[in-house]
Amino acid sequence: VMAGVARRLLLCRGLSVTAGPPSTRQLREAEEAAPVFQYAGKAARRKDRVFVWGFSYSGALGVPSFVRPDAGWKKPRRIQPTPYRLETDEKIASAACGYGFTLLASKTRDITKVWGMGLNKDSQLGFQRTRRDQSKGYEYVLEPSPIPLPLEKPQQTRVLQVSCGRAHSLVLTDSEGVFTMGNNSYGQCGRKVVEDEIYSGSHLIHQLNEFDSRVVQVVCGQDHSLFRTKKGTVYACGWGADGQTGLGHYNITSVPTKLHGDIAGVNIIQVSSYGDCCLAVSDEGDVFGWGNSEYLQLASVTETTQVNVPRHLPFKIGKVKEAACGGTGNIVLTEEGNVFVWGYGILGKGPNLTETAVPEMIPPSLFGWSDFSPDIRVAHVRCGLSQFAALTNRGELFVWGKNLRGCLGTGRMEDQYFPWRVTVPGEVVDVACGVDHMVSMVRSFT
Amino acid sequence: LNAAPGRAPRQRVRFLPAPAPGGGGAVELVAARVPVLADHPLVRGPRFRKLKIGAGHRLDVKASGVFVLGIGRGNKLLTDLYNCHLAKVYTVGGLFGKATDDFSDTGNLVEKTTFDHITREKLERILAVIQGTNQKALLMYSNIDMKTQEAYELAVKGLIRPMGKSPPIITAVRCLQFALPEFQLEIHCLNETQQYLRKMVHEIGLELKSSAVCTQVRRIRDGVFTVDDALPRTQWNLQSIREAIQNCQLRVETELEKTLG
């Protein structure tokens, strides 16, 4: 009995657990007992964001701390060379970049539907009341500020699209027609030209409703406006010295008038303009052009440098889906997903191609197409004054052209002679190009 | 190797004394081809006493797959192949839900997360972005002036590749299999290490708002050598090695000529 007790005492002496490397079983148990963290639940939705880049001193980027730093250590940032996130209150459905200003629009039913930032010397952003003096308006708006629209039913009407030109802007609604504001010295706002009118600090926002059917697209050129209706007709008003109104004369038009010429009776599905040249695409895939042709934009049909009646451009490149016009160059996208450029300037095929009257195709391998990923296609094309942008179906943004004040967003200040990817932390849904800045609507990845 | 028939001994012309045709003791010198004594196997000894074997691109302990070795004169070809900067292909297996300190499943656990919100579509979107940013790096590190027509031509053909030192660049990624919590990727890369690939799996997990560890890294292609050319453990004998070298010789020569000129 004594020996048994002594043995049990010996066995009990090892009460303390020997320290040492944890055994596999201990590791496995510790792992199973560890807490599980959840970062995203089943209802996690992708977020919609807005990214801006380019020249910021005009206030067009909507970030006040770039122009007036709010902390001592911050320095004013003249150029934002890479995409910068802009915080917005609502989901932005449509954006447009003008010459030094930006408009953002949301499809909400709230009272505030459109925000504007940038230059406001011609009231292209409406009347922005100053804090100090109720009767004066701001000339530079540094932050996205709501634009009060004189809507009849502000809680039912939705804003579908916005467009900006050199010093005027157009807002398209679903049931109350088109609202125009800004400079009207050439009648581009669709109302009669008033001599010596002062546009700065003006409260006037004009409403246009007299079209043959509902307007579905509004486009601003430099000093003219184009309206496309549901029936496929195109109306124009504004400056016509280059024939960009397409009405058969070179005078100013102050009331939106229907275009004829080669597009009479044709169902137009898209119109585009940014400088003094205009392009229209019909439902059958044909391209029509009118306006300035000094840079060979319309040289395929005529030798004259101004065309004031829409002319059919007989290109044999396939059925065209979308077209975009820049200041000196044009770009179209066909149904097969091929991109064609023509005109003058940096067209995207290297430094040697500076001008062509006939569309040249940009090889799809520059947009990421390869044997490894054969289903990449270009989905949209956009044009700024001297830049081009292309969006692929994978949500990648490619830019090329003159890098004016960092507007390409590549992070470098040099011009880009062939399509280059812009690194955006998200899938790019749409992009708006201006003269020296760009705005993109992006959805986050997860 | 030493048992194989070696080089035939060199021959030398020697004038050896031979009995004269006339007969009777006169000695005449006759020219005869005689093997050189210095080339005799008993004098020379075994032909190979040691072999110089060099290794190609590194493969660490936890990874597997194609490992290129050079024997003897092949070591010079190894340096040339390294200067070609050809892409390597890996299959990388990953597991969602865990994060460890060395990014593989044998490391110390750092965190566990949920992963049921991950879909194949979200993973492919992340892979597309990785490919896009690495494409940019490819163009930037290749040290070509972007403003020339030559840069445009090369970019169209997709032949721009960094030919000097560069950080690891991934030229293509694609998802081969996806069955929560496991997934498998095929990665084409340049200048990488296997630990970089494991780190990439970890970062993909973070990007998808979860966590991931790497379970398997296997190199299936290194330049011109694929898994089909590689010899498994059971075939590490002289005959198979000689056949393998002969099969690959032509391909290696054409590749070197094409890239280095």
Side-chain angles (χ1 to χ4, degrees), chain A residues 253-264:
Chain A
T253 317
S254 47
V255 172
T257 320
K258 195 162 165 179
L259 267 70
H260 297 280
D262 284 358
I263 61 173

PDB file of all heavy atoms in Angstrom, chain A residues 253-264:
ATOM      1  N   THR A 253     -29.044  81.091 -84.701  1.00  0.00           N
ATOM      2  CA  THR A 253     -30.439  80.665 -84.533  1.00  0.00           C
ATOM      3  C   THR A 253     -30.755  80.743 -83.055  1.00  0.00           C
ATOM      4  O   THR A 253     -30.019  80.196 -82.238  1.00  0.00           O
ATOM      5  CB  THR A 253     -30.614  79.214 -84.987  1.00  0.00           C
ATOM      6  OG1 THR A 253     -29.911  79.019 -86.195  1.00  0.00           O
ATOM      7  CG2 THR A 253     -32.076  78.873 -85.184  1.00  0.00           C
ATOM      8  N   SER A 254     -31.839  81.422 -82.703  1.00  0.00           N
ATOM      9  CA  SER A 254     -32.124  81.512 -81.270  1.00  0.00           C
ATOM     10  C   SER A 254     -33.314  80.677 -80.847  1.00  0.00           C
ATOM     11  O   SER A 254     -33.669  80.668 -79.679  1.00  0.00           O
ATOM     12  CB  SER A 254     -32.346  82.973 -80.863  1.00  0.00           C
ATOM     13  OG  SER A 254     -33.217  83.556 -81.779  1.00  0.00           O
ATOM     14  N   VAL A 255     -33.934  79.958 -81.773  1.00  0.00           N
ATOM     15  CA  VAL A 255     -35.045  79.060 -81.420  1.00  0.00           C
ATOM     16  C   VAL A 255     -34.689  77.687 -81.970  1.00  0.00           C
ATOM     17  O   VAL A 255     -34.251  77.582 -83.116  1.00  0.00           O
ATOM     18  CB  VAL A 255     -36.363  79.555 -82.069  1.00  0.00           C
ATOM     19  CG1 VAL A 255     -37.467  78.543 -81.867  1.00  0.00           C
ATOM     20  CG2 VAL A 255     -36.748  80.912 -81.505  1.00  0.00           C
ATOM     21  N   PRO A 256     -34.881  76.615 -81.193  1.00  0.00           N
ATOM     22  CA  PRO A 256     -34.513  75.288 -81.720  1.00  0.00           C
ATOM     23  C   PRO A 256     -35.293  74.974 -82.986  1.00  0.00           C
ATOM     24  O   PRO A 256     -36.521  74.993 -82.994  1.00  0.00           O
ATOM     25  CB  PRO A 256     -34.907  74.335 -80.587  1.00  0.00           C
ATOM     26  CG  PRO A 256     -34.933  75.162 -79.363  1.00  0.00           C
ATOM     27  CD  PRO A 256     -35.305  76.543 -79.781  1.00  0.00           C
ATOM     28  N   THR A 257     -34.553  74.696 -84.069  1.00  0.00           N
ATOM     29  CA  THR A 257     -35.164  74.449 -85.372  1.00  0.00           C
ATOM     30  C   THR A 257     -34.761  73.063 -85.868  1.00  0.00           C
ATOM     31  O   THR A 257     -33.657  72.605 -85.628  1.00  0.00           O
ATOM     32  CB  THR A 257     -34.678  75.506 -86.380  1.00  0.00           C
ATOM     33  OG1 THR A 257     -34.632  76.764 -85.738  1.00  0.00           O
ATOM     34  CG2 THR A 257     -35.596  75.575 -87.573  1.00  0.00           C
ATOM     35  N   LYS A 258     -35.705  72.436 -86.606  1.00  0.00           N
ATOM     36  CA  LYS A 258     -35.472  71.062 -87.057  1.00  0.00           C
ATOM     37  C   LYS A 258     -34.450  71.022 -88.182  1.00  0.00           C
ATOM     38  O   LYS A 258     -34.414  71.880 -89.042  1.00  0.00           O
ATOM     39  CB  LYS A 258     -36.805  70.532 -87.577  1.00  0.00           C
ATOM     40  CG  LYS A 258     -36.872  69.048 -87.752  1.00  0.00           C
ATOM     41  CD  LYS A 258     -38.346  68.653 -87.839  1.00  0.00           C
ATOM     42  CE  LYS A 258     -38.475  67.253 -88.385  1.00  0.00           C
ATOM     43  NZ  LYS A 258     -39.862  66.836 -88.462  1.00  0.00           N
ATOM     44  N   LEU A 259     -33.601  69.996 -88.176  1.00  0.00           N
ATOM     45  CA  LEU A 259     -32.594  69.827 -89.222  1.00  0.00           C
ATOM     46  C   LEU A 259     -33.134  68.953 -90.339  1.00  0.00           C
ATOM     47  O   LEU A 259     -33.895  68.007 -90.092  1.00  0.00           O
ATOM     48  CB  LEU A 259     -31.339  69.141 -88.652  1.00  0.00           C
ATOM     49  CG  LEU A 259     -30.234  70.054 -88.151  1.00  0.00           C
ATOM     50  CD1 LEU A 259     -30.652  70.755 -86.883  1.00  0.00           C
ATOM     51  CD2 LEU A 259     -28.984  69.258 -87.890  1.00  0.00           C
ATOM     52  N   HIS A 260     -32.725  69.252 -91.562  1.00  0.00           N
ATOM     53  CA  HIS A 260     -33.104  68.416 -92.694  1.00  0.00           C
ATOM     54  C   HIS A 260     -31.844  67.889 -93.366  1.00  0.00           C
ATOM     55  O   HIS A 260     -31.017  67.298 -92.708  1.00  0.00           O
ATOM     56  CB  HIS A 260     -33.998  69.227 -93.647  1.00  0.00           C
ATOM     57  CG  HIS A 260     -35.277  69.632 -92.990  1.00  0.00           C
ATOM     58  ND1 HIS A 260     -36.344  68.781 -92.849  1.00  0.00           N
ATOM     59  CD2 HIS A 260     -35.644  70.799 -92.393  1.00  0.00           C
ATOM     60  CE1 HIS A 260     -37.328  69.406 -92.206  1.00  0.00           C
ATOM     61  NE2 HIS A 260     -36.930  70.622 -91.911  1.00  0.00           N
ATOM     62  N   GLY A 261     -31.720  68.081 -94.653  1.00  0.00           N
ATOM     63  CA  GLY A 261     -30.518  67.565 -95.321  1.00  0.00           C
ATOM     64  C   GLY A 261     -30.582  66.057 -95.421  1.00  0.00           C
ATOM     65  O   GLY A 261     -31.650  65.463 -95.589  1.00  0.00           O
ATOM     66  N   ASP A 262     -29.437  65.377 -95.268  1.00  0.00           N
ATOM     67  CA  ASP A 262     -29.411  63.927 -95.434  1.00  0.00           C
ATOM     68  C   ASP A 262     -30.087  63.183 -94.281  1.00  0.00           C
ATOM     69  O   ASP A 262     -30.296  61.974 -94.364  1.00  0.00           O
ATOM     70  CB  ASP A 262     -27.959  63.440 -95.542  1.00  0.00           C
ATOM     71  CG  ASP A 262     -27.368  63.747 -96.922  1.00  0.00           C
ATOM     72  OD1 ASP A 262     -28.104  64.296 -97.769  1.00  0.00           O
ATOM     73  OD2 ASP A 262     -26.191  63.453 -97.146  1.00  0.00           O
ATOM     74  N   ILE A 263     -30.370  63.875 -93.154  1.00  0.00           N
ATOM     75  CA  ILE A 263     -30.997  63.146 -92.045  1.00  0.00           C
ATOM     76  C   ILE A 263     -32.510  63.314 -92.027  1.00  0.00           C
ATOM     77  O   ILE A 263     -33.171  62.829 -91.109  1.00  0.00           O
ATOM     78  CB  ILE A 263     -30.430  63.551 -90.667  1.00  0.00           C
ATOM     79  CG1 ILE A 263     -30.660  65.027 -90.377  1.00  0.00           C
ATOM     80  CG2 ILE A 263     -28.975  63.212 -90.562  1.00  0.00           C
ATOM     81  CD1 ILE A 263     -30.253  65.394 -88.955  1.00  0.00           C
ATOM     82  N   ALA A 264     -33.080  63.987 -93.025  1.00  0.00           N
ATOM     83  CA  ALA A 264     -34.539  64.141 -93.068  1.00  0.00           C
ATOM     84  C   ALA A 264     -35.175  62.777 -93.244  1.00  0.00           C
ATOM     85  O   ALA A 264     -34.849  62.051 -94.173  1.00  0.00           O
ATOM     86  CB  ALA A 264     -34.932  65.050 -94.228  1.00  0.00           C
TER      87      ALA A 264
END
